[in-house]
Structures are given as structure tokens and as C-alpha cells.
Amino acid sequence: MVLDITAAAALLDPLGREPAEACRGERLNALMALGPDASRALRRALSRLLCDATLARQAAQFLAPIAGVELLSPVNIGDYTDFYASIFHATNVGRLFRPDQPLMANYKWLPVAYHGRASSIVASGAPVRRPRGQIRPSGADAPGYAPSARLDYELELGAFIGSASVSGQAVPIDQAESHVFGVCLLNDWSARDIQAFEYQPLGPFLAKNFATTISPWVVTLEALAPFRAPAFERPPEDPPSLPHLSSARNTAAGGLGIELQAHLVSSEMRAQGLGPLRLSRSRFDQMYWTLAQMIAHHTSNGCPLRTGDLLGSGTVSGPERRQAGCLLEITAGGAEPVPTPNGGARTFLEDGDEVILTGRCSREGFVPIGLGECRGTIMPAV
Ligand code: MN
């Protein structure tokens, strides 16, 4: 069920004037800008509303079945930055593109990222059009302009910036999370053939900015408190992070114990009534860099983060093949196709394929939290 907060506002007591007014917006930006105290107050008020039998009966008129609503992007997104924070993903992908030097010299010193486009971010359920681009067949001298034949998904976590940071001021690592409103699921659709030709020397561009799908739910960091985890334990031979990217608190609890999964349903599987095929299963606490480190690094030159900015974590992969968060890794660059339940195989995504991302936190003694779904179906190229 979805609760219409605007309609139920009179029942949300005592929320306070500012958060109550912020909830009237069509998007969450006004609420996000108020910072963690406002979202905490709203969460308490909602919890009280739905736990109190009398109030919950009154609130029932403002609940709508989720199947009957159209899910939209919850935020007016400003800037979108996508990181590359899984060392397993970076190593696997690096090996395919540069066998002699999979990890670049900077990888263990700073969380690598690129600037994506907010204009092509869509909510779960929106169709994704196969992009065309410049593709150079192997052995050829010149590229052609053609539909991507190596279309991939990337299993990622997104983080929305709530209260803005100040231009010119680096956010100290232990204050970084106070700028995070919450997290969502994110699919960074990627055209590997376009990427292979265009990415040097400035990184990904048109291979990734044709579409990014997010789940329409934002789970606040407060709700994730029971699922905190230590930051990734680096091997002793790795360099320690520079002081502005490290703190005792970050080392002890900078991680988030979220299990992420990606499933595939092809049009044939759908027609035959077959269930989804699991492609990926990984954990966010295996990321080499934490959310706090990403924010501390992003602002370390004085670059301000604004309310509604979206940070992608980068593909969340683990050390084993079945924990890989994209087809490029799972199929070793297309060399080892994945069998599908109807006797077919996949190297990269085909038209009609639907990719479904899910996320879940669980811990004994606590109520598990799901992150909803992030779905997208591939449409043929124009
Ligand atoms: Mn990505």
C-alpha cells in the first residue's frame, strides 16, 4: 500500500510545521533539504500513525494499493555522479579492457567516479530503448553507427543528497552521512561496445547516459541503522586512506549490510510462464569505498553537493563470479554465455528482456527492510 502523505497530513501529529509543509510538494526535495531531523520526525509520525489502531483506521482512506498507482521518480534530481567503488568489479572489468593493468594506480587512493546525466534517469517500470552509437568491430579500423549489440545492466545502490553542502567547503568524513537523505536501487544501463570505443581518455559518456533506472522508494539511513556494518577490510598491503578519507567511525560502521540481487525475465520466459532467472547476488558491505568516503572525496575540492543530487555506488560485485553485478563480468566479456531456463543463453541483453533489481536487509531480532524493485524492459533500437 502507498500512503498519501499530503492527504493524511492532519493525522501526522506532532510533525512540526516545516516538515508538514515540505510533505506537500510533488517530490521529496523540500523535505530532503531540511536534513535528517525532519525526515526522522516524519518517520516517527508515520510509525505512530500506522501503529495506533484508531489512527490507522482513520488513515486507511489515504492508503492506495500499490498496483493501482503509477510510480514516479521521488526526487527532482540535480546532478548525478556515478562511482566505481567495488574493487571486484573494477578488477574484473579492468582485466577485460586492459589485461596487463586491471586496476589503475589511483584506485586504492580515491573513489573513482564520472559525471552522468540526470536528464535520462527514469523510475522503475519505464521502458529502456536500446541505444545506437559508434561501434568498432574487432579487427576493423573504423567504427560504424549502429544499435548496441552488447547492452548490459549494472546492479548499484543510489544515494540521494538531502541537506546541501557549502560551496568551497570540504565535508568532513564524519559529517558526510548527515548529507544523505536515503538510498534507492539503481541500474546503470551500459552499452559495452559503445563504451569500449569512446571511453579513453575521459571515461564513459554516451555508453551510459542514455538511461538510468532507479527504484521509486527512498529508504532513509535512519531506517538502515540496525544494518550498519564495518567498512570493507582492506588487505594489509593496501595503502591506508588519506586522513580526510578515513575515520574510526567510518572503519567501524561505514558499511551497509544490504543484499542486492538482479534477475532476468526474457520475452520467451515470460510467454512460457517461467520465473525470473537470478543473475547476480552481492552485498553492499563488500564495497571498497563507503558512502561517507564518496561524499568526503566529492566535496574535497570544494565542489558543493545540492539537495536532490544522486550518487551511484558503481556496480556492486563480490569476489566470486556468481556475485558479479553485470553481464560483462558474469560472461567474461561475452565469452561464457549464461544458460536461461527455456534452453536459451545470454551474453548481453536482448530486446524484450526485463531486468529486475531488488535489495534487502535482514538481521536477527530486527524487522527486515526491502528496497522495493527497480525494473526495466529493453525496447528495440529506433
Ligand atoms: Mn555504473
Side-chain angles (χ1 to χ4, degrees):
M1 307 291 276
V2 175
L3 177 71
D4 183 341
I5 296 179
T6 309
L11 299 174
L12 291 173
D13 192 56
L15 181 55
R17 194 184 54 81
E18 261 194 328
E21 235 149 61
C23 286
R24 284 198 201 116
E26 210 164 275
R27 298 284 191 274
L28 294 172
N29 295 61
L31 177 72
M32 294 160 75
L34 296 176
D37 288 347
S39 52
R40 192 173 301 123
L42 173 62
R43 186 163 179 263
R44 291 227 177 100
L46 286 169
S47 178
R48 196 174 299 131
L49 174 66
L50 298 169
C51 291
D52 180 293
T54 313
L55 285 171
R57 259 194 305 279
Q58 288 177 264
Q61 59 183 311
F62 305 122
L63 287 167
I66 197 165
V69 301
E70 185 188 352
L71 299 170
L72 303 173
S73 175
V75 176
N76 275 329
I77 298 167
D79 282 309
Y80 162 46
T81 303
D82 195 25
F83 284 86
Y84 196 51
S86 163
I87 196 168
F88 305 112
H89 173 70
T91 306
N92 292 336
V93 170
R95 201 173 283 133
L96 293 169
F97 283 80
R98 299 172 305 274
D100 47 330
Q101 194 197 2
L103 272 191
M104 304 299 270
N106 57 8
Y107 191 85
K108 294 176 179 178
W109 293 98
L110 53 85
V112 170
Y114 67 93
H115 287 289
R117 291 281 301 176
S119 62
S120 53
I121 299 174
V122 294
S124 178
V128 173
R129 182 72 64 183
R130 179 180 301 276
R132 301 176 71 101
Q134 288 206 19
I135 295 162
R136 187 174 64 180
S138 64
D141 288 332
Y145 175 62
S148 170
R150 288 162 70 88
L151 185 54
D152 202 352
Y153 68 92
E154 287 193 336
L155 172 61
E156 302 196 15
L157 196 74
F160 285 107
I161 297 300
S163 59
S165 76
V166 178
S167 182
Q169 290 184 17
V171 173
I173 186 163
D174 280 346
Q175 286 171 32
E177 287 190 359
S178 68
H179 293 276
V180 177
F181 176 70
V183 302
C184 66
L185 299 164
L186 185 151
N187 187 340
D188 176 25
W189 304 97
S190 299
R192 303 303 184 189
D193 37 13
I194 300 173
Q195 185 180 356
F197 188 57
E198 76 169 4
Y199 88 103
Q200 287 175 316
L202 292 184
F205 184 41
L206 302 183
K208 286 171 176 284
N209 69 9
F210 59 95
T212 304
T213 306
I214 56 169
S215 61
W217 309 108
V218 187
V219 178
T220 61
L221 283 191
E222 186 191 20
L224 295 174
F227 311 105
R228 300 303 313 212
F232 180 77
E233 197 180 327
R234 300 186 176 195
E237 63 271 24
D238 285 8
S241 295
L242 293 177
H244 70 294
L245 295 181
S246 81
S247 77
R249 192 166 120 194
N250 182 65
T251 304
L256 289 169
I258 305 174
E259 188 193 72
L260 298 163
Q261 297 196 26
H263 286 84
L264 172 81
V265 181
S266 68
S267 47
E268 297 81 20
M269 289 164 67
R270 200 176 306 119
Q272 293 167 30
L274 296 168
L277 167 70
R278 184 164 69 209
L279 293 174
S280 313
R281 186 178 189 176
S282 57
R283 291 188 60 83
F284 192 69
D285 49 14
Q286 296 229 318
M287 299 298 265
Y288 195 81
W289 297 99
T290 64
L291 267 185
Q293 287 174 316
M294 294 179 210
I295 288 165
H297 176 62
H298 206 315
T299 58
S300 63
N301 64 346
C303 169
L305 292 173
R306 292 184 293 196
T307 300
D309 284 356
L310 176 64
L311 309 182
S313 65
T315 307
V316 183
S317 296
E320 292 169 42
R321 179 74 66 91
R322 65 191 165 79
Q323 298 170 317
C326 66
L327 284 167
L328 183 69
E329 287 175 76
I330 295 167
T331 67
E336 298 165 29
V338 183
T340 55
N342 58 328
R346 275 294 173 282
T347 45
F348 291 97
L349 297 172
E350 295 182 11
D351 295 343
D353 282 358
E354 182 177 34
V355 177
I356 307 152
L357 310 184
T358 55
R360 191 174 163 83
C361 305
S362 57
R363 181 181 159 197
E364 193 149 349
F366 293 85
V367 178
I369 294 184
L371 273 69
E373 281 184 338
C374 181
R375 290 175 175 262
T377 302
I378 305 300
M379 311 295 282
V382 173

